[in-house]
Amino acid sequence: MAWGSDVFKANRAATLRSRYALRHADLAMADSLALLLGMQDLGAQPAASYLLNWGVDLKRFAPPASREAERQALGLGPGPVVLSPRALAPNYNPRVILDAFESVRRNVPDAQLILKHLGTGQPDVGRPLPEGTVVIGHVPYDELARYYRAADVCVSIPASDSSPRSVWEAMACGCACVLSDLPWVHELIVSGRHA
């Protein structure tokens, strides 16, 4: 099973490794049609290629009774919350998120940005963090839904991706999502129905 960047943004060495693996695999799985077709272009056999979409535990990931109560429980302020749950690697465009949030703060001064950062200490994204930014480290999976329920908006704007589970979890919690214009979005999210 490949991740989006294994196919869409792979360098030459990674592409050669993927090509070898896919040509020798008994089974290839992907979470979007675009990724599955990319894997087939690298050598996966169409008859042994399967589309497998992520599921979400709807008991754990469900809309909150009150976003305000969820924010209070997490020690956040009362203002609207923007959540960036993806890695802060360049592929996920953290600088774009920070620049956009700075613009939001000019119009909504009490807005808060939660950055999920798997490293230690303050993240180095090549610029200072805007006022109102809260950096959180690793969040155990059992607690992750609390952040989605506290957020008004979830931002997932990578340059390359397949069908990220974080977006489906955010949507299950009733959190509006700002997404990159990528093939998986057009495959799986229908304007007027899901968004």
Side-chain angles (χ1 to χ4, degrees), residues 34-100:
L35 181 58
L36 192 67
L37 294 174
M39 292 168 69
Q40 289 174 358
D41 287 346
L42 291 174
Q45 295 300 311
S49 300
Y50 296 92
L51 180 63
L52 179 68
N53 290 312
W54 292 107
V56 174
D57 179 350
L58 296 177
K59 290 181 181 168
R60 177 175 290 150
F61 295 92
S66 163
R67 288 201 191 281
E68 173 101 7
E70 293 290 341
R71 286 195 280 270
Q72 287 177 352
L74 292 170
L76 301 170
V81 172
V82 177
L83 173 63
S84 177
R86 309 300 301 274
L88 296 179
N91 181 60
Y92 297 100
N93 292 306
R95 288 189 67 148
V96 174
I97 294 168
L98 295 173
D99 291 346

Side-chain angles (χ1 to χ4, degrees), residues 55-58 60-63 85 141 144-145 148-149 154 164-175 177:
V56 174
D57 179 350
L58 296 177
R60 177 175 290 150
F61 295 92
Y141 189 69
L144 192 55
Y148 291 123
R149 286 194 294 267
C154 178
R165 185 172 46 190
S166 57
V167 170
W168 301 115
E169 291 168 345
M171 290 176 73
C173 291
C175 185
C177 293

